[in-house]
Amino acid sequence: LLPCSRPPCADLRKQARQLENELDLKLVSFSKLCTSYSGTRDGRRDRYSSDTTPLLNGSSQDRMFETMAVEIEQLLGKLTGINDKMAEYTNSAGVPSLNAALMHTLQRHRDILQDYTHEFHKTKANFLAIRERENLLGSVRKDIESYKSGSGVNNRRTELFLKEHEHLRNSDRLIEETISIAMATKENMTSQRGMLKSIQSKMNTLANRFPAVNSLIQRINLRKRRDSLILGGVIGVCTILLLLYAFH
């Protein structure tokens, strides 16, 4: 019998070939999608030079890319499972372990799986790199567009902000000067208060030390008050006499 001619192995080889053919078609379409994505973006940049033209409009292509990537990953997983089953069958007790043709067939399927996996990851990486670059360029162009459209308004706002900032600085300077004057006045008043307290304290000390002087000062004050009362009475009497004389 030929290697892998028994029913289980033949079924596995058939499934592997079907998956390989399907993967080949998917990878070709996947590669065309990535190429068309890049060509569409390059053509758009060639046709339109205005900064106001949107750079990216490939949401449908992005969704198609995600769908195809998931499908290819699923097919690769299935093919990996088939190859594992073929390896288990090859190493099983009922199959000669040294059958070169059977081992060669299994190795060929593994090489095909490895090539498809490598091609898929390479194409996917290229697509992601192109999309990232286009997104970055689109963001830069959008920022430039926003800056150009709002430059006049921004200049006016900047001028108003500068004026308002200058007013605030002047107000802060006036407030600081007022606070400085108030602090200096407070310090002067505190100093004068201390001097007055010191004089009062010295006077009280002198009065306590010299009771006779204190008594003399009180007598002088009483005499001055008495003289003031006498002088006030004399002036009052004179004023009354002058009024009486004037009316007679």
Side-chain angles (χ1 to χ4, degrees), residues 34-157:
C34 297
T35 304
S36 64
Y37 185 90
S38 177
T40 301
R41 299 306 183 270
D42 293 339
R44 181 173 297 171
R45 288 197 299 271
D46 292 338
R47 291 194 303 269
Y48 301 102
S49 59
S50 174
D51 292 333
T52 60
T53 303
L55 183 62
L56 289 178
N57 191 17
S59 58
S60 60
Q61 288 179 316
D62 292 338
R63 289 194 297 269
M64 189 179 298
F65 166 79
E66 298 294 340
T67 302
M68 293 185 67
V70 172
E71 293 176 355
I72 293 174
E73 288 177 351
Q74 292 176 352
L75 291 174
L76 288 173
K78 291 180 181 179
L79 185 57
T80 301
I82 296 296
N83 286 342
D84 292 340
K85 290 181 180 179
M86 291 175 63
E88 292 177 359
Y89 179 81
T90 303
N91 297 326
S92 63
V95 179
S97 59
L98 299 178
N99 192 323
L102 186 60
M103 297 298 296
H104 176 73
T105 301
L106 178 60
Q107 186 62 39
R108 185 171 62 84
H109 285 293
R110 287 179 175 175
D111 292 340
I112 293 174
L113 174 61
Q114 185 177 1
D115 292 340
Y116 284 163
T117 303
H118 177 72
E119 182 180 355
F120 168 69
H121 289 301
K122 181 180 178 181
T123 306
K124 182 179 179 180
N126 291 336
F127 181 90
L128 293 176
I130 293 172
R131 187 171 64 180
E132 183 178 359
R133 182 188 64 188
E134 297 299 334
N135 288 335
L136 180 60
L137 291 176
S139 177
V140 172
R141 288 175 179 259
K142 187 179 295 184
D143 293 340
I144 294 174
E145 172 72 17
S146 300
Y147 176 78
K148 288 185 176 181
S149 61
S151 59
V153 178
N154 290 333
N155 290 335
R156 178 61 178 170
R157 288 180 178 176

